């Protein structure tokens, strides 16, 4: 069984279990958010976990996806057709800006992506004629309830979106896990440890970085499209700096090097704010503390730390 | 003509603030190799603390002192609790740590103070001084004077004092510095304290003109970095020149092109520098370990 299919199956089971234990539409909405975040953070796994590059501007790509299904329909494109156009646009932008800024690494890249994110955010808030400005605006998207009804299953809108987003996350996760095992993925992982060493083995580092950047942008934009449709409303916050930071935090908390690790981070940081009111009050402090503590105490994230613990316990007994 | 003069004056004023951020950033980078994304937060801590103290009736000099102390203390805490325990961490981890620290400080500012925008009166009143057809606020002179004083102080401190020379030695070669008996940990700690001190002081001086709020740090950091990169990473003089240049470019963009996109100027400059002259005007590139 390939790694990709295994991850697909794991996520699919999680989606089904989630649906079985959700008692109300509210739970389905939280679950939908989990799977949407999962899509964007799984994209970060490629960039941050495989190649080892930090982006502080991925909310910009998320916003390109999210706003494309709001803006393009105003110019006559049906929302369902606008979605792939928006995702492709994010990929194109990633290709264009990635070429110059991926020559940089580490600090320079973090700063350049930070600047990109802020630029997108400025456009979202200042070009009100196009985006609705700081207040955002409604999204006239499709409703998958009717799709399910057409095949004879009756469910609420919230439930329908839950299944769609879960399916996208499962497929997306499977693809990334497969990528990790492929020659391209191995080339990316080689870059993680040392650019120079990987190049000396014949890895085209510029190309591998660019591919990783584009893939992560496509995932972020896909998540953006899903959020726009599922919420039916969009605000510029989706393109804000804090959203970029959240994506990085979710990825590093669980462990950015694997899809499952990323899912752990996504689950914790999406569900905890819903159940703990303290989270809403001290959101920034908690997010910041998590980033610092994770990096200081368990650099590879929760999942690898737990796996190591289990291994050590197993050896002792 | 007087219009241009007006833009130049306001550009130099904000430029002096960016220069202070860039100087603090350079200081930490030289001593420890860490690019501190929380640099803008020091400015916010200075401004917010001063605003709060003045708001409850503390006399101005004491409020300034309190704000600068709060900023300096946060710099030391940042080093002791976040940077030092992770000193052998790869660069990606250090980026995430300083970003995390900046988000944490943001949240702390929001919790301790509030989410409002704050300002207080200028030190010498808010009556503009007429100057060749343009007007300048007295506080702008405080800011520009402050930046010059900070730069002069740093130049003196680094060359003439024992502690300053220990930082210089640590910057140029940490191992060699350790070998001749310099306590490099102390030197790096001091560089964080100094850097935070500079940032907080800039925040105290700038708030009457620029205003401040808990989330003002990100843009300040971005502009400070742009200034550093334009001037050349590692060069204090480059930081000063870069800061003033970014301020001027921003003011001219706001005046002649579009005031809503003045913040984009910094980003465009970053890209241009990276394309044309990655080492900046006066400096070297950030070196990374292989």
């Amino acid at each position: 069984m390939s790694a990709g299919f295994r991850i697909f199956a794991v996520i699919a089971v999680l989606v089904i279990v989630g649906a079985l234990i959700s008692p109300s539409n509210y739970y389905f909405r939280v679950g939908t958010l989990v799977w949407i975040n999962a899509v964007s953070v799984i994209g970060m796994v490629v960039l941050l976990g495989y190649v080892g590059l930090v982006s502080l501007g991925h909310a910009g790509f998320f916003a390109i996806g999210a706003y494309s299904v709001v803006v393009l329909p105003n110019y006559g494109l049906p929302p369902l057709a606008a979605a792939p156009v928006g995702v492709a646009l994010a990929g194109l932008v990633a290709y264009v800006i990635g070429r110059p800024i991926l020559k940089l690494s580490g600090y320079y890249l973090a700063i350049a992506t930070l600047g990109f994110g802020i630029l997108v955010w400025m456009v979202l808030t200042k070009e009100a004629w196009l985006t609705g400005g700081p207040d955002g605006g409604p999204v006239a998207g499709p409703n998958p309830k009717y799709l399910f009804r057409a095949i004879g299953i009756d469910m609420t809108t919230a439930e329908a979106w839950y299944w769609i987003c879960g399916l996208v996350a499962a497929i997306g996760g499977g693809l990334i896990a497969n990528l990790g095992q492929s020659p391209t993925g191995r080339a990316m992982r080689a870059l993680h440890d040392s650019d120079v060493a990987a190049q000396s083995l014949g890895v085209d580092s510029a190309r591998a970085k660019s591919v990783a950047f584009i893939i992560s942008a496509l995932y972020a934009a896909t998540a953006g499209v899903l959020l726009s449709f599922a919420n039916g409303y969009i605000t510029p916050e989706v393109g804000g700096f804090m959203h970029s930071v959240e994506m990085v935090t979710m990825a590093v908390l669980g462990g950015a090097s694997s899809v499952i690790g990323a899912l752990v981070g996504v689950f914790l940081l999406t569900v905890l704010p819903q159940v703990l009111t303290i989270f809403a009050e001290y959101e920034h402090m908690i997010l910041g503390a998590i980033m610092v503590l994770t990096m200081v105490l368990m650099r590879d994230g929760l999942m690898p730390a737990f796996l190591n613990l289990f291994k050590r316990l197993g050896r002792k007994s | 003509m007087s219009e241009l003069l007006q833009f130049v004056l306001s550009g130099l004023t904000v430029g002096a603030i960016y220069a202070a951020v860039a100087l603090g950033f350079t200081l930490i980078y030289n001593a420890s190799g860490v690019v501190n994304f929380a640099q803008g937060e020091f400015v916010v801590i200075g401004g917010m603390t001063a605003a709060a103290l003045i708001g409850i009736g503390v006399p101005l000099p004491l409020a300034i002192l309190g704000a600068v102390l709060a900023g300096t203390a946060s710099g030391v805490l940042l080093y002791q609790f976040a940077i030092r325990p992770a000193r052998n961490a790869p660069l990606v981890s250090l980026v995430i740590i300083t970003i995390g620290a900046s988000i944490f400080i943001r949240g702390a500012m929001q919790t301790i103070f509030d989410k409002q925008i704050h300002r207080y009166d200028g030190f010498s009143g808010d009556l503009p001084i007429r100057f060749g057809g343009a007007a300048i606020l007295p506080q702008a002179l405080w800011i520009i004077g402050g930046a010059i004083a900070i730069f002069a102080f740093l130049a003196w401190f680094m060359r003439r004092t024992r502690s300053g020379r220990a930082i210089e030695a640590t910057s140029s070669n940490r191992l060699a510095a350790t070998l001749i008996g310099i306590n490099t940990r102390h030197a790096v700690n001091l560089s964080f304290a100094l850097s935070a001190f500079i940032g907080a002081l800039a925040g105290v001086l700038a708030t009457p003109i620029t205003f401040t709020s808990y989330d003002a740090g990100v843009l300040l950091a971005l502009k400070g970095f742009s200034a550093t990169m334009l001037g050349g990473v590692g060069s204090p003089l480059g930081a000063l020149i870069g800061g003033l240049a970014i301020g001027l470019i921003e003011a001219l963009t706001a005046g002649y092109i579009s005031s809503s996109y003045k913040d984009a100027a910094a980003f465009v400059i970053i890209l241009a520098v990276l394309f044309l002259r990655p080492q900046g005007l006066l400096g070297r590139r950030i070196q990374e370990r292989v």
Side-chain angles (χ1 to χ4, degrees):
Chain A
M1 200 162 59
S2 80
F5 188 75
R6 214 161 49 226
I7 293 296
F8 174 82
V10 168
I11 299 179
V13 168
L14 290 173
V15 171
I16 294 167
V17 170
L20 290 177
I21 60 173
S22 289
S24 71
N25 274 339
Y26 170 72
Y27 285 79
F28 278 112
R29 273 196 290 273
V30 175
T32 306
L33 211 53
V34 168
W35 298 123
I36 290 173
N37 284 337
V39 172
S40 60
V41 176
I42 286 169
M44 293 299 277
V45 166
V46 181
L47 192 66
L48 184 60
Y50 289 1
V51 190
L53 299 175
V54 186
S55 165
L56 299 173
H58 260 56
F61 296 119
F62 191 101
I64 290 176
Y67 272 84
S68 66
V69 295
V70 182
V71 173
L72 295 179
N74 292 342
Y75 297 89
L77 205 61
L80 272 180
V85 173
V87 173
L89 183 66
L92 185 69
V93 172
Y95 173 73
V96 172
I97 67 163
R99 285 178 73 85
I101 67 179
L102 287 166
K103 280 188 202 145
L104 325 160
S105 49
Y107 293 130
Y108 282 113
L109 183 68
I111 293 162
T113 51
L114 172 67
F116 163 72
I118 288 177
L119 201 62
V120 172
W121 186 79
M122 271 193 286
V123 173
L124 296 184
T125 48
K126 306 220 154 125
E127 303 298 322
W129 59 274
L130 189 69
T131 62
D135 298 329
V139 184
N143 188 337
K145 186 167 85 171
Y146 301 110
L147 183 76
F148 284 98
R149 191 171 289 166
I151 55 171
I153 310 168
D154 227 1
M155 58 171 77
T156 63
T157 304
E159 215 176 335
W161 277 118
Y162 175 86
W163 287 105
I164 301 270
C165 296
L167 180 69
V168 175
I171 296 173
L175 289 175
I176 294 303
N178 256 354
L179 175 76
Q181 306 296 323
S182 72
T184 312
R186 285 175 201 277
M188 287 174 182
R189 283 172 187 271
L191 288 174
H192 189 286
D193 297 320
S194 166
D195 232 75
V196 177
Q199 279 180 25
S200 74
L201 291 171
V203 172
D204 183 345
S205 86
R207 187 178 163 275
K209 284 179 182 174
S210 172
V211 170
F213 197 63
I214 294 170
I215 290 176
S216 60
L218 293 175
Y219 271 70
T222 305
V225 167
L226 290 174
L227 186 74
S228 253
F229 280 155
N231 272 358
Y233 200 88
I234 200 73
T235 61
E237 297 312 311
V238 298
F241 172 64
M242 279 312 292
H243 189 205
S244 294
V245 169
E246 273 169 24
M247 284 189 217
V248 174
T249 315
M250 286 176 181
V252 298
L253 173 62
S257 57
S258 73
V259 172
I260 296 295
L263 285 181
V264 172
V266 167
F267 182 79
L268 288 175
L269 287 180
T270 312
V271 172
L272 285 184
Q274 305 287 338
V275 291
L276 299 175
T277 47
I278 188 175
F279 218 104
E281 230 170 297
Y282 299 104
E283 191 198 352
H284 288 99
M285 286 175 86
I286 294 175
L287 275 183
I290 288 175
M291 291 172 90
V292 174
L293 290 176
T294 311
M295 284 299 123
V296 170
L297 301 175
M298 33 173 202
R299 204 165 293 153
D300 299 324
L302 277 172
M303 270 304 279
F306 273 127
L307 290 179
N308 270 339
L309 192 68
F310 278 128
K311 252 184 230 163
R312 242 180 294 158
L313 289 176
R315 220 174 292 146
K316 267 183 202 150
S317 58
Chain B
M1 192 58 215
S2 66
E3 195 184 55
L4 178 66
L5 183 65
Q6 184 68 60
F7 294 149
V8 168
L9 286 178
S10 55
L12 287 177
T13 309
V14 284
I17 301 163
Y18 300 156
V21 177
L23 272 174
F25 174 56
T26 303
L27 199 58
I28 288 185
Y29 175 74
N30 279 350
S32 67
V34 171
V35 171
N36 177 27
F37 281 85
Q39 200 67 39
E41 262 61 34
F42 296 147
V43 181
V44 176
I45 292 176
M48 291 288 272
T49 313
L53 290 177
I54 289 169
I56 56 169
V58 175
L60 185 67
L62 278 180
I64 295 176
L65 186 69
V68 170
L69 282 179
T72 311
S74 68
V76 174
L77 291 176
L78 172 69
Y79 173 66
Q80 294 295 347
F81 288 105
I83 306 293
R84 201 163 73 79
R87 60 195 173 287
N88 297 321
L91 191 138
V92 173
S93 308
L94 286 172
V95 172
I96 294 171
I97 286 174
T98 58
I99 286 283
S102 81
I103 303 293
F104 182 84
I105 295 174
R106 236 173 195 256
M109 289 291 103
Q110 188 188 326
T111 308
I112 299 171
F113 305 112
D114 52 28
K115 289 175 109 169
Q116 308 301 315
I117 293 173
H118 291 275
R119 84 170 285 265
Y120 38 85
D121 294 338
F123 300 168
S124 317
D126 290 320
L127 276 179
I129 303 165
R130 295 265 152 217
F131 177 79
I136 186 167
L137 287 168
Q139 190 66 23
L141 299 177
W142 276 100
I143 295 174
I144 296 170
I148 295 171
I150 289 170
F151 186 77
F153 166 76
L154 268 188
W156 168 79
F157 185 82
M158 289 301 188
R159 299 222 171 82
R160 297 273 176 262
T161 68
R162 216 177 164 78
S163 308
R165 283 153 78 163
I167 296 181
E168 289 270 89
T170 309
S171 304
S172 72
N173 188 329
R174 190 159 184 165
L175 180 65
T178 314
L179 286 175
I180 56 167
I182 289 171
N183 186 343
T184 52
R185 211 167 84 192
H186 181 76
V188 175
N189 193 14
L190 184 64
S191 79
F192 271 83
L194 263 181
S195 172
F197 166 81
I198 293 170
L201 185 61
V204 170
L205 293 174
T207 300
I209 289 187
T210 59
F211 303 6
T212 192
S213 66
Y214 77 101
D215 60 353
V218 186
L219 268 184
L220 276 171
L222 182 68
K223 301 208 180 130
F225 295 143
S226 314
T228 312
M229 285 162 81
L230 179 62
V233 175
S235 154
L237 184 62
L240 187 71
I241 295 172
L244 294 176
I246 298 266
L248 279 176
I249 294 168
E250 211 178 277
L252 295 176
T253 309
Y256 291 115
I257 302 173
S258 149
S259 61
S260 25
Y261 283 97
K262 71 180 171 62
D263 292 333
F267 178 61
V268 174
I269 291 169
I270 287 189
L271 284 189
V273 170
L274 292 174
F275 267 126
L276 304 173
R277 200 177 154 82
Q279 72 275 31
L281 296 173
L282 300 175
R284 47 179 206 261
R285 281 201 73 145
I286 290 182
Q287 296 292 323
E288 282 167 17
R289 282 167 294 181
V290 170

